[in-house]
Each structure stands twice: as C-alpha cells, then as structure tokens.
C-alpha cells in the first residue's frame, strides 16, 4: 500500500491551494488538448509538487485581462534551452506537449533523468497568450490596440513584437514584453517557438503534419543560422521518426518575429508549426513532445552539433493547402 505518500501529496496540494478532483487522465490516456488557463495553473503546480521541487513554476507577469503567464524551469545544467508555446491563442497544442515534457523529465528520479538535468536547464513559457486562448483568437487582448500587426480594437499579434531594438518596457504587446524579459534573464543557447498552421500537402500529395524554419533575417550571424538549421534537421528527424511529415515553413524575415528576433540575439532559434488536423490532436501533441525531448537529449550529449546544417536545405518545402481547408492567416510566423 502507498497510503503515506498519497497523504503527503494531498497535504502538499492543500498547502498550495490546489487539491482538486482526480484528473481525467487517471482513467484515460487522453491528454486535454486545450486546457483552460485555470486548469493549466493547477497542472503546473501539481507537477511542481510531484517533482519534489525539481520543476520550478513562476509567474512572469499578467495579461491585460489579469491572467498569469507561467514559466516552468527544470534542470541545473550549463546548457540552456527555452521553449515558448501558444503565442497565438488559437494555436494550443504546444502547451499540453510542454506539460508532458515537464512530466517526462521532471517527475521521477531515474539515472537518465538525473544525468540529463545535470547537463541542461530547460525554461518553458507555457502559454504565452492566455487571453488569446480564452477568447479563442490569434491576438492578445487589448481593445485599445491600433497595431501594425494585429487587429484594431482586438489586440496585438504577439509574434511580431520581439524586435531586439524594442525594450520590454516599451513593447506595446504586453505578453511579448514578458517573453523578452524572461529570455534576457535566462540567456538561452536554444530558443524554440511552438505554433500551429493549417492543412497542407507536399509535392507527392501527402499531408504535412508539421513545418519548421530557422532565422531568415539577413542580419543573423551565419554561425547562429547554422546552429538553428541543425536544430531544424533534428526536429524533422524526430517527428518523421514517429510517423510525421515535416516540411519547411514559408516564413518571412521581419526582425520582430521570435524566430528572427532571438536569432539576432545569438540563440539557435527555431519555429515549429504543428498542423491543425482533426482527429490527430493526440498524435500532434506526441510529435511536439518528441521534438522537445530530442532537442534536449541531443544538445546534452553533443550529437546536435554533429548534424550537417546543410541538411536543412533538403527539408522539402510546404506545398499548397489541402482542398477545402483554409491556409494560414499569414505566412510570416
């Protein structure tokens, strides 16, 4: 019997005000693809308790509707990796993948976990745009917005406001400023931004399940572009290895896009776009998790740096939208 550990866990959850009814995953392996921000808060703090403090959960600020933006950190190694999920509120699947990543590497005390966490520190901004999630729209919430990127009276497109020339305190997109501050304090070697896209096919007519891209702004240092290309190749291999089909994303070169902005600051900076495929959500979450784990493990053991960056150029271009489906709102993420 495991009565005492269970009582200890319940007591700990009461201490942080998070004792809740048993989660649905206790009776089903299905992962909630769109947890509310309230549920996300509970799940993050449960993971912190279950990890015995190895997962550190911190609010990094609040949205314009006063919702918390959470970051979670695990590990204590020299190599620093940062993941950001759900800058666009209606692109949710990177967020449950982040929860599963934290559960996989942070809950438990196996030899491989101890070794990995001694080599890397992983910081995750888990759902950068809670207001957009709750409104089920792309932007943050700012009815006073008259944005260059976004929609007047609705909000800013957060993923256009990471220009390194704009200080966080001057950033009109509240949540982008929070990500900027977290990045500046952490100074990651690798920065990966998780989004979602529409439905597309490749040249052979097979459906694309995800797309990836490195910095394309001409001012990013060639060495940093090459490092990002190595990451992109690893992303392709990790997702294709689980049955996915990864293409190059047709992204733009604007410096305010996170992929470009953090590349300009010297990180290996990569975009991952999970396709919005009905009936494949659980697999898409698993694919995102596979990419997160592959990046961390390969960075830790040094194999990431042995990938030929030129292989990124062989990642096939994304083809046209599938008939009867909508293309992305834009092609510049």
């Amino acid at each position: 019997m495991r009565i005492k550990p269970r009582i200890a866990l319940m007591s700990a959850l009461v201490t942080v005000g998070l004792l809740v009814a048993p989660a649905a995953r206790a009776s089903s392996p299905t992962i909630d693809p769109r947890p509310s921000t309230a549920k996300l808060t509970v799940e993050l703090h449960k993971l912190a308790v279950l990890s015995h403090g190895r997962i550190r959960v911190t609010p990094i600020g609040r949205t314009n509707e006063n919702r918390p933006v959470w970051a979670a950190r695990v590990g204590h190694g020299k190599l620093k990796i940062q993941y950001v999920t759900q800058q666009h509120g209606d692109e949710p699947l990177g967020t449950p993948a982040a929860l599963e990543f934290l559960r996989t590497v942070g809950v438990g005390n196996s030899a491989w976990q101890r070794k990995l966490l001694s080599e890397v520190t992983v910081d995750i901004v888990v759902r950068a745009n809670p207001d957009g999630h709750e409104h089920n729209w792309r932007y943050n919430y700012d009815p006073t917005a008259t944005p260059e990127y976004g929609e007047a009276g609705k909000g800013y497109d957060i993923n256009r406001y990471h220009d390194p020339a704009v200080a966080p305190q001057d950033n009109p997109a509240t949540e982008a400023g929070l990500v900027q501050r977290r990045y500046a304090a952490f100074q990651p070697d690798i920065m990966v931004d998780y989004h979602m896209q529409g439905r597309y096919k490749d040249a052979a007519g097979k459906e694309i399940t995800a797309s990836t891209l490195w910095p394309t702004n001409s001012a990013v240092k060639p060495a940093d572009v090459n490092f990002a290309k190595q990451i992109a190749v690893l992303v392709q291999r990790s997702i294709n290895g689980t049955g996915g089909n990864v293409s190059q994303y047709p992204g733009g070169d604007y410096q305010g896009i996170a992929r470009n902005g953090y590349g300009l600051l010297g990180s290996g900076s990569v975009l991952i776009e999970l396709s919005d495929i009905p009936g494949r959500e659980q697999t898409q979450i698993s694919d995102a998790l596979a990419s997160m784990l592959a990046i961390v493990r390969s960075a830790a053991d040094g194999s990431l740096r042995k990938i030929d960056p030129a292989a990124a150029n062989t990642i096939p271009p994304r083809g046209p939208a599938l008939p009867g489906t909508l293309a992305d709102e834009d092609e510049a993420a």
Side-chain angles (χ1 to χ4, degrees):
M1 297 180 67
R2 298 179 59 85
I3 295 175
K4 290 183 179 179
R6 180 177 175 84
I7 291 173
L9 174 59
M10 292 174 66
S11 177
L13 291 173
V14 169
T15 300
V16 295
L18 295 171
L19 183 58
V20 294
R25 61 180 289 113
S27 58
S28 170
T30 301
I31 297 168
D32 186 348
R34 296 172 179 80
S36 68
T37 299
K39 181 177 179 180
L40 177 65
T41 299
V42 170
E43 292 300 317
L44 284 169
H45 285 84
K46 284 169 64 177
L47 287 171
V49 171
L50 291 167
S51 73
H52 301 284
R54 282 183 290 273
I55 298 170
R56 290 91 70 189
V57 176
T58 309
I60 62 172
R62 302 192 79 85
T63 68
N64 294 331
E65 289 193 305
N66 202 35
R67 293 185 176 91
V69 178
W70 295 106
R73 189 170 293 180
V74 64
H76 51 276
K78 182 178 179 181
L79 183 62
K80 297 179 180 180
I81 299 168
Q82 190 165 48
Y83 297 139
V84 176
T85 73
Q86 213 173 340
Q87 286 202 71
H88 294 145
D90 57 356
E91 300 175 8
L93 298 187
T95 294
L99 289 175
E100 294 308 305
F101 172 85
L102 292 167
R103 192 185 319 277
T104 300
V105 304
V107 177
N109 192 33
S110 66
W112 76 264
Q113 288 172 310
R114 292 195 302 271
K115 185 175 188 302
L116 182 68
L117 298 182
S118 72
E119 295 168 333
V120 300
T121 303
V122 184
D123 187 85
I124 310 178
V125 179
V126 189
R127 183 173 290 157
N129 185 3
D131 290 355
H133 174 83
E134 298 300 330
H135 288 279
N136 193 31
W137 66 39
R138 179 181 180 89
Y139 312 115
N140 76 345
Y141 178 81
D142 190 341
T144 68
T146 55
E148 180 179 4
Y149 300 99
E151 187 174 329
K154 181 177 277 190
Y156 291 89
D157 185 332
I158 295 171
N159 196 31
R160 299 297 179 274
Y161 291 88
H162 298 276
D163 186 344
V166 178
Q169 64 269 24
D170 299 324
N171 198 322
T174 299
E175 296 82 357
L178 297 179
V179 175
Q180 284 182 307
R181 287 189 179 93
R182 188 70 174 184
Y183 176 96
F186 188 52
Q187 293 291 301
D189 302 287
I190 293 170
M191 170 67 133
V192 184
D193 186 24
Y194 284 83
H195 286 259
M196 291 182 66
Q197 62 183 359
R199 298 181 69 180
Y200 298 86
K201 59 183 178 180
D202 62 17
K206 183 179 178 182
E207 184 158 8
I208 297 295
T209 65
S211 299
T212 188
L213 192 63
W214 45 89
T216 53
N217 183 281
S218 61
V220 179
K221 294 178 181 178
D224 295 327
V225 173
N226 282 338
F227 186 34
K229 284 185 172 183
Q230 290 173 312
I231 299 166
V233 172
L234 180 65
V235 168
Q236 183 203 28
R237 291 174 180 173
S238 64
I239 294 178
N240 283 6
T242 63
N245 185 25
V246 177
S247 73
Q248 280 191 46
Y249 188 82
D253 60 4
Y254 174 56
Q255 68 270 21
I257 298 169
R259 163 177 56 82
N260 291 320
Y262 298 114
L264 287 165
L265 290 173
S267 291
S269 180
V270 169
L271 166 76
I272 297 176
E273 294 265 354
L274 305 168
S275 298
D276 187 6
I277 304 174
R280 202 180 191 272
E281 286 184 330
Q282 297 299 306
T283 303
Q284 295 295 77
I285 293 168
S286 296
D287 285 354
L289 172 61
S291 71
M292 291 176 176
L293 291 169
I295 291 166
V296 169
R297 287 167 169 161
S298 297
D301 68 19
S303 60
L304 175 58
R305 290 286 191 176
K306 297 177 182 178
I307 294 173
D308 181 0
N313 301 322
T314 68
I315 298 174
R318 198 186 69 183
L322 288 177
T325 66
L326 296 175
D328 288 351
E329 184 170 336
D330 61 59
E331 299 295 347

